[in-house]
């Protein structure tokens, strides 16, 4: 049997569909490791066979040849539609929906239809006959209508899967819309063609096939659904132990990963659309529109839970913008730093214990030197008074008794001062500045000296390593002890500032001051040697400037590396 073929412009839509299908198959074959690529490749090959049959049908000039190629096309239509449905199932939820059982169930009807097509010349289950009025018009039998109904079922299943993907994946929404347009377009054109509802010089079913392939190319290239980089990013986000939240411009939750669901103890659907301040107590207010997209917002730290269940999270907030630079929302990252904070607290506690032991040694030396010196002076004065009384020198004895009383008072003050040093410590939750404010206020109330404390706002919660903290505290206490004992000051100005390389603490009084040269000649130090030694032990430096009759200024410089951030 010889069939004749001739050129006709009506087969060009079919050739276009054939080329697009082959291109789609080649593109998918190079990405077979990506979920859904293999079903799409097989579906594209089936579609290419369908388009090739359409080309041959329109090129054929014999009625028998046209009928053969119509049957050939029909044999590939349901398999192509089935494999496209399998692509949707596998891409939407890899490994979950496209199981072997489901694949077998989806293949039953296409295989039955294929068998009926092969036996149709005798049984006529698919076509009751064919009419020809310029173009071939198949007359469908019950099996043909059953195939169309199954095709409609596949359309509905596709729409259900794509709708699920649309609802559960924000980044896939436009891609889903594009694919739905293609799915609906090809099915509508197929039904119109096979039901003889529309007559066209061009094959509507193949035009619909070309349309859906075009839509898939938009999805593949425009939305890069087979690009491994977006897939890798999505997989990474889902596998991250850190929480990832996406907010709209008004600070309402738009998406999150599994880690956030574990942190919150609630599924996404339960918290979707809620303000982030309601979901994460302690969050900054994000209920205003985004304006500044130049730099990420400063990271913060929040605590979720109470008591032993409390977890500490470091929060990084970054604005999101589209390709136009317009604000579209926020990206929030929650880093669980509970273990780090616990470890840091343990280390600080150990450092505090070590600093306390070291400080006890310092205080032991200071008590030995100062108290022993004071007691020795008292002993000498007492012996002197005793000798004067025995010699009958009453007036001189009274003068020496006054000196003895002053020495005893000084020794008492020194002992109290050293004991007071032991009772002062920095509360970790307040910082050094708060301790300084409390100490100067207590000193002012106790001794009637007006004290002015000046510090910049960024030093409100400044804290130091425990060893540095202990030395600074005692330098400050020694400086104020000198003001109390020697300066006779009425006003003291304390200034705390932060420079790029060091933190500067200045204590300036308006007391009587002293002559440094005369002080050095008398071997009196006012504790300067002890203070300088303490500063040097933490890498700092002590400066003392004084002018007789104009007061004294004590300056302590501590490297910023000693600061605990």
């Amino acid at each position: 049997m010889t069939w004749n073929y001739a050129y006709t412009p009506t087969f060009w839509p079919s050739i276009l569909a054939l080329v697009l299908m082959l291109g789609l198959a080649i593109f998918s074959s190079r990405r077979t490791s990506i979920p859904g690529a293999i079903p799409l490749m097989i579906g594209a090959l089936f579609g290419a066979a369908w388009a090739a049959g359409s080309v041959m049908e329109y090129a054929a000039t014999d009625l028998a040849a046209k009928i053969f190629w119509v049957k050939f096309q029909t044999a590939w239509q349901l398999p192509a539609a089935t494999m496209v449905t399998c692509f949707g199932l596998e891409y939407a939820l890899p490994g979950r929906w496209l199981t072997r059982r489901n694949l077998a169930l989806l293949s039953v009807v296409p295989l039955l239809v294929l068998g009926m097509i092969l036996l149709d010349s005798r049984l006529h289950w698919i076509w009751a006959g064919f009419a020809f009025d310029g173009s071939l018009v198949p007359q469908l039998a019950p099996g043909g209508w059953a195939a169309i109904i199954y095709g409609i079922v596949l359309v509905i299943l596709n729409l259900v899967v794509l709708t699920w993907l649309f609802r559960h994946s924000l980044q896939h929404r436009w891609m889903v819309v594009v694919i739905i347009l293609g799915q609906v377009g090809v099915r509508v054109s197929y039904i119109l063609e096979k039901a003889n509802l529309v007559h066209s010089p061009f094959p509507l079913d193949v035009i619909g096939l070309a349309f859906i392939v075009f839509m898939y190319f938009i999805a593949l290239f425009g939305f890069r659904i087979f690009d491994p980089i977006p897939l890798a990013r999505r997989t990474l986000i889902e596998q991250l132990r850190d929480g990832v939240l996406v907010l709209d411009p008004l600070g309402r939750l738009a998406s999150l990963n599994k880690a956030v669901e574990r942190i919150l103890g609630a599924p996404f659907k339960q918290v979707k659309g809620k303000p982030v301040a309601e979901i994460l107590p302690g969050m900054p207010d994000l209920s205003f529109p985004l304006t500044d997209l130049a730099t990420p917002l400063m990271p913060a730290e929040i605590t979720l839970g109470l008591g032993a269940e409390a977890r500490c999270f470091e929060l990084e907030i970054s604005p999101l913008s589209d390709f136009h630079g317009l604000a579209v929302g926020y990206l929030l990252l929650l880093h669980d730093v509970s273990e780090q904070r616990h470890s840091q607290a343990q280390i600080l506690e150990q450092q505090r214990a070590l600093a306390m032991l070291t400080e006890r040694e310092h205080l032991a030396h200071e008590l030995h030197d100062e108290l022993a010196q004071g007691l020795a002076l008292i002993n000498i004065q007492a012996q002197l008074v005793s000798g004067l009384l025995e010699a009958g020198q009453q007036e001189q004895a009274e003068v020496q008794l006054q000196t003895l009383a002053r020495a005893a008072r000084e020794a008492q003050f020194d002992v109290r001062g050293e004991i007071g040093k032991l009772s002062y410590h920095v509360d970790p939750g307040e910082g050094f500045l708060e301790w300084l404010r409390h100490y100067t206020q207590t000193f002012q109330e106790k001794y009637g000296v007006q004290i002015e404390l000046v510090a910049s706002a960024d030093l409100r919660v400044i804290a130091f390593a425990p060893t540095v903290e202990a030395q600074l505290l005692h330098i400050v206490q020694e400086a104020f002890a000198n003001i109390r004992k020697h300066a006779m000051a009425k006003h003291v100005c304390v200034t705390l500032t932060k420079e790029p390389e060091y933190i500067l603490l200045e204590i300036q009084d308006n007391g009587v001051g002293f002559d440094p040269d005369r002080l050095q000649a008398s071997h009196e130090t006012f504790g300067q040697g002890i203070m300088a030694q303490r500063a040097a032990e933490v890498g700092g430096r002590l400066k003392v400037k004084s002018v007789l009759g104009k007061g004294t200024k004590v300056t302590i410089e501590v490297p910023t590396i000693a600061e605990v951030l």
Side-chain angles (χ1 to χ4, degrees):
M1 181 175 60
T2 302
W3 290 340
N4 297 316
Y5 298 90
Y7 169 81
T8 172
T10 56
F11 63 42
W12 281 110
S14 302
I15 292 178
L16 175 62
L18 174 61
V19 172
L20 290 176
M21 278 292 178
L22 291 176
L24 185 60
I26 293 171
F27 181 85
S28 302
S29 67
R30 295 177 179 177
R31 290 160 177 80
T32 54
S33 61
I34 306 299
I38 293 178
L40 186 61
M41 177 189 69
I42 297 173
L45 291 175
F46 289 161
W50 174 7
S54 178
V55 172
M56 300 305 294
E57 176 198 350
Y58 282 90
T61 57
D62 299 312
L63 183 60
K66 287 183 177 293
I67 293 174
F68 173 83
W69 290 114
V70 166
K71 293 181 177 181
F72 180 85
Q73 294 174 67
T74 307
W76 300 109
Q77 287 168 356
L78 274 188
T82 302
M83 295 312 297
V84 170
T85 302
C86 291
F87 156 75
L89 292 171
E90 180 67 6
Y91 184 78
L93 203 59
R96 295 285 299 277
W97 287 345
L98 189 60
T99 61
R100 291 182 178 180
R101 185 191 66 177
N102 291 340
L103 179 60
L105 291 174
L106 289 171
S107 303
V108 169
V109 174
L111 290 174
L112 289 175
V113 171
L114 180 60
M116 287 190 287
I117 291 173
L118 294 175
L119 299 175
D120 188 74
S121 59
R122 288 185 297 170
L123 302 176
H124 302 290
W125 284 342
I126 300 296
W127 297 279
F130 294 89
F132 187 81
D133 57 354
S135 63
L136 193 64
V137 180
Q139 306 295 323
L140 294 178
W145 285 107
I148 290 179
I149 293 173
Y150 182 70
I152 295 173
V153 171
L154 291 179
V155 172
I156 295 173
L157 181 58
N158 272 284
L159 292 178
V160 170
V161 172
L162 293 171
T163 302
W164 181 91
L165 186 61
F166 182 90
R167 292 184 57 189
H168 289 81
S169 182
L170 183 64
Q171 65 268 28
H172 287 98
R173 289 190 171 179
W174 280 109
M175 182 206 78
V176 167
V177 171
V178 169
I179 292 178
I180 287 178
L181 286 175
Q183 291 276 358
V184 173
V186 70
R187 264 60 178 205
V188 169
S189 61
Y190 178 80
I191 293 172
L192 292 177
E193 177 79 10
K194 298 307 176 185
N196 295 321
L197 298 176
V198 173
H199 296 281
S200 170
F202 296 100
L204 291 181
D205 56 345
V206 178
I207 292 175
L209 181 63
F211 178 71
I212 190 174
V213 178
F214 181 69
M215 292 295 103
Y216 271 96
F217 270 110
I218 293 176
L220 290 171
F221 292 100
F223 298 95
R224 306 192 309 176
I225 65 174
F226 280 172
D227 190 333
I229 295 178
L231 290 173
R233 289 174 179 166
R234 186 163 67 250
T235 303
L236 177 63
I237 289 173
E238 287 302 318
Q239 294 179 351
L240 275 177
R241 295 182 63 186
D242 291 335
V244 179
L245 302 91
V246 179
L247 310 178
D248 66 16
L250 296 180
R252 296 170 301 198
L253 185 62
S255 181
L256 50 77
N257 67 346
K258 297 295 183 183
V260 179
E261 291 186 342
R262 291 193 295 269
I263 292 170
L264 300 179
F268 172 59
K269 61 182 180 180
Q270 186 175 331
V271 294
K272 181 181 178 181
K274 291 186 177 181
V276 69
E278 180 180 337
I279 301 168
L280 302 176
M283 271 287 300
D285 181 21
L286 299 178
S287 59
F288 51 87
L290 292 173
T291 55
D292 183 12
L293 296 174
T295 57
L297 301 177
M298 292 298 293
E301 196 169 288
I302 61 173
T303 301
L304 300 178
L306 299 173
E309 301 297 325
R311 305 293 293 178
C312 185
F313 294 92
E314 191 178 75
L315 177 65
E316 293 185 14
I317 314 173
S318 298
L320 300 174
S321 57
D322 60 12
F323 64 96
H324 292 298
L326 300 177
V328 295
Y330 289 101
L331 176 66
L332 272 67
L333 298 179
L334 290 176
H335 305 283
D336 191 341
V337 293
S338 304
E339 297 301 327
Q340 294 93 315
R341 295 294 178 264
H342 180 67
S343 299
Q344 289 173 359
Q346 286 183 327
I347 293 172
L348 284 175
E349 199 60 37
Q350 293 171 358
Q351 291 178 347
R352 290 184 189 281
L354 179 61
M356 185 178 297
L357 292 174
T358 305
E359 191 55 35
R360 285 178 179 176
E361 294 181 4
H362 278 291
L363 290 177
H365 288 299
E366 291 178 15
L367 283 172
H368 178 270
D369 295 341
E370 295 184 11
L371 187 57
Q373 182 180 359
L375 292 176
L377 177 61
I378 292 172
N379 182 44
I380 293 172
Q381 288 296 124
Q383 292 179 9
L384 180 60
V385 169
S386 178
L388 290 173
L389 288 175
E390 290 178 358
Q393 299 178 7
Q394 185 72 27
E395 293 183 0
Q396 293 183 11
E398 290 180 358
V399 173
Q400 295 301 323
L401 277 173
Q402 293 177 359
T403 304
L404 176 63
R406 285 197 300 272
R409 284 195 299 271
E410 289 298 329
Q412 181 184 15
F413 276 127
D414 289 341
V415 172
R416 286 183 176 179
E418 296 301 330
I419 294 174
K421 291 178 183 180
L422 293 172
S423 63
Y424 276 94
H425 66 279
V426 175
D427 188 335
E430 295 180 346
F432 180 76
L433 179 59
E434 188 61 31
W435 172 87
L436 190 61
R437 181 178 290 111
H438 177 72
Y439 179 80
T440 53
Q441 182 179 355
T442 302
F443 189 92
Q444 176 176 278
E445 293 172 354
K446 189 172 183 179
Y447 299 107
V449 180
Q450 184 181 359
I451 300 178
E452 179 185 2
L453 179 59
V454 180
S456 55
D458 59 341
L459 296 174
R460 184 174 59 85
V461 291
I462 188 173
F464 297 95
T467 52
V468 178
E469 177 185 286
Q471 302 296 3
L472 274 180
L473 263 59
H474 288 88
I475 292 173
V476 171
Q477 290 168 335
E478 185 67 30
F480 273 88
N482 287 333
I483 292 172
R484 172 183 57 80
K485 292 191 292 184
H486 308 293
M488 293 187 291
K490 299 298 182 183
H491 181 271
V492 179
C493 181
V494 181
T495 306
L496 185 65
T497 55
K498 186 174 183 179
E499 301 296 335
E501 298 182 356
Y502 57 85
I503 294 172
L504 187 66
L505 177 63
E506 296 177 325
I507 303 173
Q508 171 78 59
D509 68 65
N510 66 346
V512 297
F514 60 87
D515 185 346
D517 295 332
R518 184 178 298 178
L519 184 70
Q520 187 175 5
S522 65
H523 303 289
E524 176 65 67
T525 62
F526 295 159
Q528 292 183 39
I530 296 175
M531 290 191 291
Q533 181 183 355
R534 287 182 177 274
E537 286 183 6
V538 295
R541 184 170 56 173
L542 177 80
K543 297 178 184 178
V544 179
K545 293 182 179 180
S546 184
V547 178
L548 193 62
K550 293 186 178 180
T552 302
K553 182 178 182 180
V554 178
T555 304
I556 307 107
E557 294 180 0
V558 179
T560 52
I561 194 173
E563 181 186 358
V564 178
L565 299 177

